[in-house]
Amino acid sequence: MKHRCAANWKTLPENDSDGYHLGFVHLALFKTVRMQYQRVVGDEKAIKAVVRDWGHGHIEIDWSPGYQGPFEWFGGAAGPVVADFVAALERRDGPELARQRILQGPAHALIFPNLFLGETNIAIVEPVDVEECVHWHTPMFWKGVPEFNGRLLRMAEAGMGPASFLMPEDLIIATRNQQGLRARTPEWLLLSRGLDREYLDDQGRAVSHVTDETTNRALWRHYRAVMTEA
């Protein structure tokens, strides 16, 4: 799937890794479709998802701390086909690792500069001009489980298709951000949300609440370093 966007390409990678806007920009989706992002709406203190800076511009939203059961990231899929898939995973990887995978789900991460792993979707942002880019995306079909392809395709259509919720709304926001940049005022942007609760984990990665701007800061910090060295 291909979407053209009237904005600089950097607006989309930043958006893909921002957890703050979901609860209001995409509220209509959460009220309409049961999906894994439901728990970002409501009391901020009850949201358990986190954002993480992996370094070198690589950033992620980790939704798994908020999941309470298997396959929540897969729309709560269940039934004989799912049971067979879980059994195959356990035979291949062992029960402990298999359970970890079905509970946590795939990554929601940006690989700097423009590769986005959107859980069950893969996207690339292609720069076209200073104020234009193309967002390419495809559902991630799983090898050896063709029975899931229909569900994965429907999920991609609901979130990222031309008549969906997520992608069209994000493209509108990116376009408006680009229009705001033309104004040249104010002369700076403040990206300090969550600085007071950001911490380093045992691997030295910056981690914070999903609504904090840890990922935004990490993206722009590395972009500045890359452009300074160029």
Side-chain angles (χ1 to χ4, degrees), residues 30 35-44 46-49 63 65-69 72 210:
F30 304 145
M35 63 186 308
Q36 64 266 42
Y37 305 138
Q38 293 285 356
R39 295 194 182 94
V40 302
V41 181
D43 182 10
E44 184 176 305
I47 302 173
K48 297 181 179 179
W63 300 107
Y67 294 155
Q68 298 175 351
E72 288 193 29
V210 68

Side-chain angles (χ1 to χ4, degrees), residues 59-188:
I59 48 184
E60 75 164 327
I61 299 178
D62 184 358
W63 300 107
S64 63
Y67 294 155
Q68 298 175 351
F71 293 112
E72 288 193 29
W73 49 271
F74 198 27
V81 173
V82 173
D84 291 344
F85 174 67
V86 172
L89 272 184
E90 291 177 342
R91 288 193 298 270
R92 190 189 71 178
D93 302 329
E96 184 176 345
L97 184 55
R99 177 170 176 76
Q100 178 182 335
R101 285 178 170 163
I102 65 177
L103 283 171
Q104 293 183 353
H108 185 112
L110 173 75
I111 309 301
F112 187 87
N114 63 338
L115 171 62
F116 176 54
L117 307 179
E119 293 147 68
T120 57
N121 295 279
I122 300 175
I124 293 175
V125 181
E126 177 190 3
V128 175
D129 204 339
V130 174
E131 295 190 3
E132 185 177 3
C133 62
V134 174
H135 186 278
W136 299 88
H137 71 86
T138 179
M140 184 191 302
F141 294 136
W142 303 348
K143 184 178 180 180
V145 223
E147 300 89 346
F148 287 170
N149 288 351
R151 188 184 190 95
L152 290 162
L153 183 59
R154 298 290 86 78
M155 289 175 65
E157 289 174 342
M160 305 180 81
S164 66
F165 292 88
L166 286 172
M167 199 68 236
E169 291 169 346
D170 287 338
L171 294 174
I172 291 171
I173 294 299
T175 300
R176 290 179 178 177
N177 284 341
Q178 188 66 49
Q179 291 172 348
L181 286 172
R182 293 195 198 109
R184 301 294 182 184
T185 55
E187 298 176 354
W188 42 265

Side-chain angles (χ1 to χ4, degrees), residues 18-21 24 40 42-53 191-201 205-217:
D18 173 70
Y20 182 58
H21 76 284
F24 47 91
V40 302
D43 182 10
E44 184 176 305
K45 294 180 180 178
I47 302 173
K48 297 181 179 179
V50 299
V51 285
R52 187 174 290 115
D53 173 12
L191 293 176
S192 61
R193 179 176 171 84
L195 269 174
D196 58 323
R197 54 184 175 185
E198 190 175 288
Y199 64 94
L200 297 180
D201 65 11
R205 303 168 301 190
V207 183
S208 197
H209 190 272
V210 68
T211 62
D212 292 341
E213 292 173 323
T214 299
T215 49
N216 308 66
R217 291 189 288 269

